[in-house]
Amino acid sequence: QYGTDALRMTLASIASAGRDIKLAEERIEGYRNFATKLWNAARFIQLYGDGPQASLAPQSRPFPDKWILSRLNHTIREVTKAFEDYRFDQAASALYQFIWHEYCDWFIELAKPCLQQENHPDAPVTRQTLLESFEILQRLLHPVMPFITEEIWQSFPHEGQSIMTQPFPTEKPEWVNVEAEQAFSLLHAFVTTARTGR
């Protein structure tokens, strides 16, 4: 009813040692919504990703790009450790939190103004960051949600026959940017407070 990937993600998320958790239909439905969120992100990136790209050193990219690459590096480290420790629940939680609450809710929204504005100077770099980070996300999520990630990965320019044969993402120390993460925390707090006040 909700799809194989949604069920796999649900089972991974509740695979906590020593706990008996009821497999509620609402949980599976929630992860089906997560799959839809991922699909919508792919559609947006395909819509605005077709254009000039510019690859700059991570520290020379616009602020949102610096921030998301630093957060992605943190997520790669967190998910890798969780898999190594057989903590599939922690891996699923880290993937869910990053993709929904940081990548989709913030980075894509911050990228929209420059991508939707004609001839914006940051657009080529942001487009590169968007495509690069989203491809890495598909490989990071693939062990838990193999079908939708394969479908999305095949719909973008790629090398190789299948995402299954691609290497699992590894940390990139050059992406770490503590200043960008701290600055974003202030931005997040300000926006959240303003929304609550309104």
Side-chain angles (χ1 to χ4, degrees), residues 77-88 90-92:
R77 180 170 63 251
E78 195 175 0
V79 172
T80 300
K81 185 178 187 309
F83 279 143
E84 288 173 348
D85 294 341
Y86 297 96
R87 291 303 306 268
F88 304 117
Q90 292 179 358

Side-chain angles (χ1 to χ4, degrees), residues 13-198:
S13 71
I14 63 176
S16 302
R19 293 177 62 196
D20 292 327
I21 301 176
K22 181 181 178 183
L23 181 59
E25 190 171 318
E26 292 77 18
R27 285 179 179 269
I28 308 173
E29 185 178 7
Y31 285 112
R32 190 272 313 272
N33 296 340
F34 173 72
T36 301
K37 187 89 167 177
L38 189 69
W39 192 261
N40 290 339
R43 292 291 156 266
F44 171 82
I45 295 169
Q46 286 179 328
L47 183 63
Y48 290 99
D50 186 19
Q53 298 175 37
S55 181
L56 291 180
Q59 306 305 325
S60 301
R61 300 191 191 194
F63 163 65
D65 300 44
K66 294 178 186 177
W67 168 72
I68 201 63
L69 290 178
S70 189
R71 295 302 302 154
L72 177 56
N73 187 71
H74 173 80
T75 304
I76 291 171
R77 180 170 63 251
E78 195 175 0
V79 172
T80 300
K81 185 178 187 309
F83 279 143
E84 288 173 348
D85 294 341
Y86 297 96
R87 291 303 306 268
F88 304 117
D89 55 328
Q90 292 179 358
S93 175
L95 287 163
Y96 181 91
Q97 293 298 322
F98 176 77
I99 293 172
W100 190 300
H101 297 296
E102 294 184 281
Y103 197 84
C104 292
D105 282 359
W106 283 95
F107 179 59
I108 287 182
E109 293 302 317
L110 290 169
K112 281 181 179 179
C114 76
L115 292 175
Q116 294 174 339
Q117 181 181 329
E118 190 173 356
N119 298 323
H120 193 287
D122 288 341
V125 180
T126 297
R127 193 174 288 116
Q128 167 70 24
T129 303
L130 203 58
L131 290 165
E132 179 184 9
S133 58
F134 197 64
E135 192 276 336
I136 291 171
L137 270 183
Q138 302 317 302
R139 289 188 280 126
L140 197 62
L141 182 62
H142 181 70
V144 188
M145 302 184 80
F147 298 103
I148 190 171
T149 51
E150 179 76 61
E151 185 73 20
I152 290 173
W153 191 82
Q154 292 286 351
S155 69
F156 283 85
H158 61 272
E159 295 181 4
Q161 294 296 315
S162 169
I163 192 174
M164 288 187 291
T165 63
Q166 302 307 301
F168 193 73
T170 55
E171 291 183 63
K172 295 183 181 294
E174 66 272 20
W175 284 0
V176 176
N177 194 314
V178 177
E179 293 80 9
E181 292 198 42
Q182 291 174 342
F184 181 82
S185 295
L186 290 174
L187 173 64
H188 183 278
F190 175 79
V191 172
T192 302
T193 302
R195 286 174 176 170
T196 303
R198 189 177 66 180

